[in-house]
Amino acid sequence: MMSDEYLVECKISDDDDDSDDEEYVQKIQPSLTPPPQFSSISQASFTNESRDPYGVNNHLKVDFSDVLAEPASTRSYDRVWVYSGIGFESARIWSYRCLTAVCAVPVSCLSGCLFALLACLHIWCVMPCVQVCHTCLPCVRSLWMSLVNIFLMPLCESAARCCSGVYILLSKE
């Protein structure tokens, strides 16, 4: 079922010049971006709005005052403080930009390959093994319960009967 947000909006207006009261329909041009379910990379990922929509990297939001702060008792010159802040922000921003220009594409390709490998292993190896275990588990369970009842249960019962006659009294001397 299609959501209402993908339907084209039509406005119906009456034209006063027309005596027949005919309705004119104006169609609003639909946006050129495809709906999110049809596009793996949406238009919002190219804007600055939602690069971290789920807040995965909130711990990396560092300001100058988070790293460097002067107490009230010791203060440097105001210009030194301002230029230090400018230097910190500039170095942080430009270092990040240079590092991402060099590393972003290879790391994203490696991450994509890693996740593709994990998905392939999960789909073609892990899930078939899990299904085989679920299929064979009732037989294995009944065999395991028989072995436990034959060998382990008598040992545990005899140890429990031997230890049931032991009493421990704690007293302060």
Side-chain angles (χ1 to χ4, degrees), residues 7-15 22-29:
L7 297 177
V8 176
E9 183 179 341
C10 298
K11 292 184 179 180
I12 301 174
S13 63
D14 294 332
D15 195 344
E22 290 179 305
E23 297 177 349
Y24 292 96
V25 177
Q26 287 183 332
K27 290 187 179 179
I28 295 177
Q29 292 294 329

Side-chain angles (χ1 to χ4, degrees), residues 40-99:
S40 62
I41 301 175
S42 64
Q43 187 68 23
S45 65
F46 294 116
T47 62
N48 290 334
E49 306 169 355
S50 63
R51 295 241 177 136
D52 190 11
Y54 300 115
V56 174
N57 294 317
N58 282 338
H59 61 284
L60 295 176
K61 293 180 181 175
V62 179
D63 290 329
F64 178 67
S65 60
D66 295 334
V67 177
L68 297 172
E70 284 184 334
S73 61
T74 57
R75 292 182 58 105
S76 64
Y77 295 111
D78 287 338
R79 289 289 178 199
V80 171
W81 189 252
V82 170
Y83 291 141
S84 297
I86 292 171
F88 175 83
E89 290 297 325
S90 299
R92 182 179 64 89
I93 290 170
W94 283 103
S95 306
Y96 177 74
R97 288 179 181 169
C98 291
L99 285 172

